[in-house]
Amino acid sequence: MAIKEFRYTICPVGNASFLSANREGFLYDAFRPLGIRPVLLQSLPRDRWLAHFTYQDPALFREGGNVPPIWAKSNGTEVVLLGLTMHAQKTYILTRVDSPVDYVEELRHKKLALPTRPEYPAVDFFKSDAEHLFRSVLAARGVGTAEVEFVEIPASESEINITSDKANHFGKAEADALEAGKVDAIVSSGVRALRLMLTGKFKTIFELGAHPGLISTVCGEYPHILTVSKQLADENPEVVVEYLKQTILAAEWAKTNLSGTLALFSKQLHATPGEIVTALPRDFYKHLTPGFSKEGLLALEGQKKFLYDRGYIAKDFPIEKWVDESFLRAALSDLGKNISLPTIDA
């Protein structure tokens, strides 16, 4: 069935889909000859935005965090996994600067913050991310979860109703709780963590990415995944291939255009270029191309298993049967360029 438009939605985490959609109108120009109009989901009435989490849209692309698509797939929603990327924001365990806690082992008998977003009708990925990362760090340092107290911190009204300055508002409730002494430690990442540390009120006791051989940074933001509604993939595969082509081209452009990438990511992450290069891995702009690596699929399997074991999703499913490499392979074939992507067989 021919379509006249599709929707796309992009998490504010720094990805090639955002570059494709905002780089001088390239995405729109690519689909104009096909008579198809890409529509940003968040440009529609607000009651349509819920599809960002639930996938209740027959023609939707989404790139970003992995928890909502895993949740949707678990609930029986038909979602196709098109690719994943492996670059994480720098993530830290923070305590107050005057806290006697300087090491993870000293978190025994302490209160650890789990931010919650009760207004989300789908799945609380803020809570699942903090819990997964805390549990990973504690296990690596030999601290049992029975030796700590997890404290749920509901989001503030300013976080729930935010329309701008997102980097300063996301995570505000748990940071306020830490400053007030209601909890002893929080997980924070990216620009938000950088800004908290620059206040002089908080200190780092552990950086997750600094210990790749010891600690897993798997969470809702690692790996990022690119997905599409199955109905669109089945009925209009050429649209999916074209979308992937534009995403790949944007990622390839980023590899040699750091300043341009930073300018666009400044808008997406609500941060300055200086904050972005400090908050993200040094070579983040070289790793934005979606693909399927064994490492990435193992990470996604670990994330899904955690969500299932901890009750965030109700039904398990095999990750390997979720993967569909055919669209990526077709996109690469159409581009005819020497672009190397991580694949399942690699």
Side-chain angles (χ1 to χ4, degrees), residues 167-277:
N168 273 338
H169 282 80
F170 280 151
K172 186 177 188 304
E174 60 262 33
D176 288 348
L178 179 58
E179 185 177 1
K182 296 178 181 179
V183 296
D184 299 292
I186 64 173
V187 173
S188 190
S189 63
V191 172
R192 178 59 179 164
L194 174 65
R195 291 180 178 175
L196 287 177
M197 289 185 283
L198 288 175
T199 66
K201 299 176 181 179
F202 310 101
K203 64 183 179 183
T204 301
I205 66 167
F206 196 86
E207 181 183 350
L208 279 78
H211 307 272
L214 173 68
I215 194 79
S216 167
T217 56
V218 173
C219 66
E221 294 186 4
Y222 186 80
H224 299 157
I225 65 176
L226 176 59
T227 50
V228 66
S229 305
K230 190 173 187 299
Q231 182 175 332
L232 180 59
D234 288 345
E235 297 180 358
N236 301 95
E238 73 285 355
V239 173
V240 178
V241 172
E242 186 61 41
Y243 190 91
L244 276 169
K245 285 165 57 179
Q246 298 309 312
T247 303
I248 292 168
L249 288 171
E252 290 298 302
W253 171 85
K255 290 178 181 179
T256 56
N257 288 276
L258 176 57
S259 61
T261 300
L262 288 173
L264 289 172
F265 277 5
S266 292
K267 299 176 182 179
Q268 187 185 23
L269 302 179
H270 305 277
T272 67
E275 288 175 323
I276 293 170
V277 297

Side-chain angles (χ1 to χ4, degrees), residues 117-175:
R117 298 295 295 261
E119 82 279 12
Y120 284 179
V123 59
D124 194 339
F125 52 87
F126 286 90
K127 179 183 177 183
S128 69
D129 277 5
E131 183 180 355
H132 199 173
L133 292 169
F134 263 133
R135 286 177 176 272
S136 296
V137 171
L138 295 173
R141 292 303 190 188
V143 181
T145 53
E147 298 179 277
V148 301
E149 180 183 355
F150 289 115
V151 178
E152 294 189 0
I153 305 295
S156 64
E157 286 299 318
S158 64
E159 289 177 272
I160 294 173
N161 298 318
I162 184 172
T163 56
S164 61
D165 197 20
K166 295 183 179 181
N168 273 338
H169 282 80
F170 280 151
K172 186 177 188 304
E174 60 262 33

Side-chain angles (χ1 to χ4, degrees), residues 55-92:
Y55 283 82
Q56 297 304 308
D57 186 314
L60 179 71
F61 289 96
R62 181 187 189 277
E63 185 176 12
N66 59 57
V67 178
I70 290 176
W71 176 87
K73 177 68 174 175
S74 173
N75 277 8
T77 302
E78 296 291 347
V79 183
V80 177
L81 179 58
L82 298 174
L84 50 84
T85 56
M86 301 291 290
H87 73 92
Q89 300 184 64
K90 294 180 181 178
T91 302
Y92 308 90

Side-chain angles (χ1 to χ4, degrees), residues 36-48:
I36 299 173
R37 184 169 66 103
V39 177
L40 177 65
L41 181 68
Q42 287 75 19
S43 69
L44 300 175
R46 200 176 185 94
D47 61 357
R48 298 282 301 276

